[in-house]
Each structure stands twice: as C-alpha cells, then as structure tokens.
Amino acid sequence: MTGTREALEQLRSTLAEVLAFDEASGCSDDELLSTMAALEGLGRLVDAHRAACAGEVAERSRVELADARLSTRRGCRSAAELVER
C-alpha cells in the first residue's frame, strides 16, 4: 500500500501544478464543459475509493474489537471521528 500512497501523493502534486483555479475563465464554453466532465469523472473515482477506505476504517473500528479497534488505538471515539480527522 505504500506504493499506492506515494503514487497518490505524486498524482496530487501533479494535479496541483496542472489545475489553475483561474483557468476556467479563459476557456471556451466547450472547453469549460469538457474539463468539468473530466473533473467530475475523476471526482467520482476518488469519492468511490475514499468511501471504500472509510468503510475499511469502520470495519477495523468495530465495537467488538474493544481496545484493538483502529479508532481507539488512534485516540478517537469512533470510526467517524477518525475519518473526520
């Protein structure tokens, strides 16, 4: 998973360089809409993986695990609090 984390950080860094917040104002209507569609597709992919990871945090933070719960070991009262942090 470390390779995944490093790849995601590299992707985040690259996107930060590529995406200028004022760029949209200089786009034609068609460029604006196609860029927005591409960003929405990327956002859906990221959201799906974010939800999957949050689900795994919840699984590892089940009440039945008592002190072995991931959330407890990280100083949180619940999986939701851990994800929020």
Side-chain angles (χ1 to χ4, degrees), residues 11-24 35 38-39 42:
L11 179 58
R12 188 210 58 78
S13 179
T14 300
L15 283 173
E17 291 174 15
V18 170
L19 298 175
F21 285 101
D22 61 349
E23 182 179 306
T35 298
L39 285 169
L42 180 61

Side-chain angles (χ1 to χ4, degrees), residues 1 6 8 14 17 19 21 31 33 35 40 47 49 61 79:
M1 192 77 166
E6 291 170 354
L8 288 170
T14 300
E17 291 174 15
L19 298 175
F21 285 101
E31 289 171 329
L33 295 176
T35 298
E40 286 299 319
D47 286 347
H49 284 276
S61 299

Side-chain angles (χ1 to χ4, degrees), residues 11-85:
L11 179 58
R12 188 210 58 78
S13 179
T14 300
L15 283 173
E17 291 174 15
V18 170
L19 298 175
F21 285 101
D22 61 349
E23 182 179 306
S25 63
C27 291
S28 70
D29 292 348
D30 289 339
E31 289 171 329
L32 176 63
L33 295 176
S34 65
T35 298
M36 196 166 114
L39 285 169
E40 286 299 319
L42 180 61
R44 284 190 292 277
L45 178 64
V46 169
D47 286 347
H49 284 276
R50 189 172 20 223
C53 287
E56 186 62 27
V57 168
E59 176 66 23
R60 294 180 189 193
S61 299
R62 294 185 329 272
V63 174
E64 304 85 48
L65 297 174
D67 289 340
R69 297 168 58 197
L70 176 58
S71 56
T72 300
R73 289 184 286 125
R74 298 291 190 217
C76 298
R77 293 169 296 203
S78 67
E81 182 182 348
L82 180 56
V83 169
E84 183 180 308
R85 286 186 186 181

